Amino acid sequence: MKLWGGRFTKEENQLVHNFNESLSFDQKFYRQDIQGSMAHVKMLAAAGIISEDDRDTILSGLEGILSDIEEGRLEFSLEHEDIHSFVEANLIERVGDAGKKLHTGRSRNDQVALDMKLYTRDEIKETDSLVKELLTELHIIMKENTDTYMPGFTHLQKAQPVTLAHHVGAYFEMFKRDRGRLHDIYERMNYCPLGSGALAGTTYPLDREMTSELLGFYGPTLNSMDSVSDRDYLIELLSALSTIMMHLSRFCEEIIIWNTNEYRFVEIDDAYSTGSSIMPQKKNPDIAELVRGKSGRVYGALMSMLTTMKGLPLAYNKDMQEDKEFTFDAIDTVKGCLALFTGMVKTMSFRKDVMESSAKNGFTNATDAADYLVNKGVPFRDAHGIVGKLVLFCIDKNISLDEMTLEEYKAISPVFENDIYDAISLKTCVEKRTTIGAPGKAAMEKVIALNEEYLKKPAF
Ligand code: ARG
């Protein structure tokens, strides 16, 4: 035992260190860690807990650390456990005894709660602006396509004619709600946990209002135990990010379908497509597929976070260190997907002629043919039956409703007159739908004007 005991213990210690450390990933918020320490130290001096000289020494030390990291002069050496210990040790190395006062009245528990909030708060804003860029692109497509007819689908079967503006407008609403969710989370999370100590506050006369204000929060959090163990805002954020991915994924799925040889509604730009190593004719929608695929990763992060938090007793537990890697990954994934997706949509071309003839050929005007009969006094249920017969007749002859002769119409129902052709034209079918939210041009223009105003509003 003695022969290898010492060595074994040493090796185990290294394993424990490796298992326990978070510096390899929490270095991502070094900026926020230093920002939080600066606010803390200013408050300590203002409250008379440390001297102004010590404050200035610490502040200049922290500034030095920040610029040395940013300019690549200081590397994160992994013998330190986490970013908090790394910065503190480095500060003491630089400025000596004054540096040892930085952590007065603070615990890593309130420190990490603060850093994670500061980091995600910034990322919420960045994600929001990427969603806004996508909305701006969708808005352009909508403005240009209020007359671009296409089939609207239910069950992926052609249903009724709509316009490209209307179809894209559905996604506009989804992404608008996504921004709303990000804003709601921001409003709820923007309270400062700093000053909560390990769990029970501190005996120092900390001015929590001051640090909260210096760091741009609405105010200090109101329960120190909750402050160090609250990760609700991450769960809410991961849920909002999952919903963004779900929307992107649905849109991607449609683009993939529209981009097939069978549909040919769109052509994804070469820059956003890839080829096959064996089949020379192929041009694959990889970017859309990857965005669709990456939703799984983000949903996974949400599930991990929910599961990690489940059953944790108050207050801080080390389990919570697990909040970082998958949250960071989810945020980076969503930001990447939003940027790529926006680029793909921006460069994609729409084959308006194909969309229009697809709408013409799929009996998408059958409901309007029935409404025509209703307007001439036929009860709706009878009209439905009559148009069903028209459709059967057309399928048999492989023609569309507007290609039938008036005699053929009259043979099925004498109520039909020459005005049937106008009544079932794509233009009439769409334009008659003028209630707000419908695809008719007049209704769409109202919505587009509202969206225009919405996009002008400042984000935060
Ligand atoms: N690295 C830790 C985390 O990410 C920081 C908090 C450590 N606190 C503690 N009491 N061990 O959660």
Side-chain angles (χ1 to χ4, degrees), residues 22 26 81-82 84 108-109 112 316 318 320-321 324:
S22 55
D26 65 16
E81 190 184 322
D82 51 29
H84 326 296
R108 279 186 303 163
N109 296 352
V112 75
Y316 178 84
K318 190 73 174 222
M320 283 190 276
Q321 178 166 291
K324 292 172 195 66

Side-chain angles (χ1 to χ4, degrees), residues 70-116:
E70 310 246 91
E71 280 146 41
R73 286 189 297 267
L74 179 58
E75 283 185 10
F76 300 104
S77 46
L78 290 186
E79 83 254 16
H80 297 282
E81 190 184 322
D82 51 29
I83 187 65
H84 326 296
S85 343
F86 173 81
V87 171
E88 189 178 337
N90 214 276
L91 180 73
I92 294 168
E93 222 170 81
R94 280 171 197 241
V95 306
D97 280 351
K100 295 181 183 163
K101 298 183 181 171
L102 167 67
H103 211 52
T104 314
R106 191 174 67 171
S107 154
R108 279 186 303 163
N109 296 352
D110 59 344
Q111 190 178 359
V112 75
L114 172 70
D115 292 3
M116 197 62 184

Side-chain angles (χ1 to χ4, degrees), residues 380-448:
F380 181 76
R381 198 43 64 207
D382 294 341
H384 190 282
I386 293 167
V387 177
K389 287 197 185 110
L390 296 180
V391 170
L392 269 183
F393 178 84
C394 287
I395 290 173
D396 194 45
K397 296 199 127 191
N398 197 22
I399 56 172
S400 62
L401 284 177
D402 33 345
E403 285 169 321
M404 284 177 66
T405 65
L406 190 56
E407 289 67 45
E408 288 166 339
Y409 270 111
K410 281 192 176 292
I412 293 175
S413 166
V415 181
F416 285 112
E417 300 295 343
N418 215 21
D419 54 355
I420 177 65
Y421 296 104
D422 183 49
I424 60 167
S425 78
L426 279 185
K427 192 171 166 57
T428 311
C429 294
V430 172
E431 292 317 328
K432 269 169 49 186
R433 291 172 154 79
T434 53
T435 50
I436 196 80
K441 192 172 178 134
M444 277 310 302
E445 278 173 352
K446 278 185 207 148
V447 170
I448 288 170

